[in-house]
Amino acid sequence: MAIDITRVGIIGAGQMGSGIAQVCAAAGLDVHLNDREAARIEAGLDVIDASLAKLVSKGSMDEAASREARNRIVPARTFADLGGCDLIIEAATENEATKREIFTALCSSLRPETLVATNTSSISITRLAAATDRPERFIGIHFMNPVPVMQLVELIRGIATEDATYESSKAFIAKLGKTSTMSEDFPAFIVNRILLPMINEAIYTLYEGVGSVESIDTAMRLGANHPMGPLQLADFIGLDTCLSVMQVLYDGLADSKYRPCPLLVKYVEAGWLGRKTKRGFYDYRGPTPVPTR
Ligand SMILES: NC(=O)c1ccc[n+]([C@@H]2O[C@H](COP(=O)([O-])OP(=O)(O)OC[C@H]3O[C@@H](n4cnc5c(N)ncnc54)[C@H](O)[C@@H]3O)[C@@H](O)[C@H]2O)c1
């Protein structure tokens, strides 16, 4: 039977986890926000405060609604604090071992009927489900970045996901005012299967000296009508996440066309992960972004 979701636990308070927390709270749900680092929860709450303040200043949300939404989000220091939730959404770093460790440690704190979801961009839902005690109540709920702005959420069923889990998740997404699509459980699902190889190709284009950062981004913005250039978008997503998705495509589909560009690997090895570390294909430390190549 489908369940009505009113209390949501979120694991990982980074750019995605904080965005998911905000939209859930704005839709009237209670949110418990967890991260392995307490400082990241605080930082996530600051991001939410700034985002809500922006909505109020633009007139898209009134002051009282913003305050109510913010008050619905509470920090969860341990997995035990997530025990009363109807749904857990894992939005931690895109690393399979990290996610498996979380699921293994999490499940004993949850009620049997609690649904568990992952926001992974690319990793097999069926494989992650196997790290839980409830593969039938496990699903991929893949939000897009930035969560408060983007309309789409991909739902991905693992091999064991029950219909009730899918229906509950679909109703939950509708409650958030967003649109869901259904994708089969293949590496990187639909959006990233198409988007990330395009970004990786843009990085090869830079690597081979076909164009500069500025030329490549301008070409795709004005020549293909993309709202953002692919290198700007890569910085926005996070270069570690981009690399991880390409690795999942390369390993999972065993086709050389998905080989991650060595320049992407180099940026990640340097710790230049894009906007979140203030440096990637652009340097964000000054008043305007400056290309790094
Ligand atoms: N960035 C995007 O554009 C985007 C879009 C859709 C989905 N995603 C997916 O969302 C997830 C999170 O991505 P992000 O961009 O928010 O990353 P991020 O680096 O901004 O945040 C990740 C957070 O996870 C926390 N974390 C790591 N290990 C943890 C653990 N064991 N327990 C609790 N917290 C832990 C980190 O401290 C960090 O705060 C990834 O799976 C990513 O693929 C990202």
Side-chain angles (χ1 to χ4, degrees), residues 16-40:
M16 295 305 292
S18 59
I20 297 167
Q22 181 185 323
V23 296
C24 288
L29 309 176
D30 291 327
V31 177
H32 298 259
L33 185 59
N34 168 270
D35 200 287
R36 71 174 162 198
E37 293 174 45
R40 296 299 299 250

Side-chain angles (χ1 to χ4, degrees), residues 88-157:
I88 305 293
I89 303 174
E90 171 277 315
T93 311
E94 186 74 350
N95 175 290
E96 184 163 344
T98 302
K99 290 183 189 294
R100 294 180 74 94
E101 273 168 33
I102 290 173
F103 294 129
T104 307
L106 168 75
C107 287
S108 61
S109 300
L110 305 180
R111 292 181 280 132
E113 62 274 23
T114 298
L115 305 183
V116 179
T118 174
N119 186 50
T120 179
S121 303
S122 60
I123 302 168
S124 162
I125 302 306
T126 301
R127 258 196 340 260
L128 291 177
T132 73
D133 61 358
R134 61 194 74 201
E136 62 289 350
R137 281 184 297 286
F138 189 88
I139 191 164
I141 302 186
H142 181 218
F143 288 85
M144 308 290 134
N145 187 17
V147 182
V149 176
M150 301 296 278
Q151 184 60 29
L152 182 76
V153 180
E154 283 184 304
L155 292 177
I156 308 107
R157 294 177 73 150

Side-chain angles (χ1 to χ4, degrees), residues 42-118:
E42 292 311 315
L45 292 172
D46 289 346
V47 169
I48 294 168
D49 285 339
S51 175
L52 288 171
K54 204 165 156 194
L55 289 175
V56 172
S57 73
K58 281 198 307 196
S60 319
M61 194 181 215
D62 66 48
E63 184 84 51
S66 148
R67 217 175 16 252
E68 278 170 28
R70 180 60 183 80
N71 289 339
R72 284 192 202 103
I73 307 173
V74 296
R77 305 284 174 213
T78 65
F79 289 160
D81 293 341
L82 304 175
C85 293
D86 306 308
L87 167 69
I88 305 293
I89 303 174
E90 171 277 315
T93 311
E94 186 74 350
N95 175 290
E96 184 163 344
T98 302
K99 290 183 189 294
R100 294 180 74 94
E101 273 168 33
I102 290 173
F103 294 129
T104 307
L106 168 75
C107 287
S108 61
S109 300
L110 305 180
R111 292 181 280 132
E113 62 274 23
T114 298
L115 305 183
V116 179
T118 174

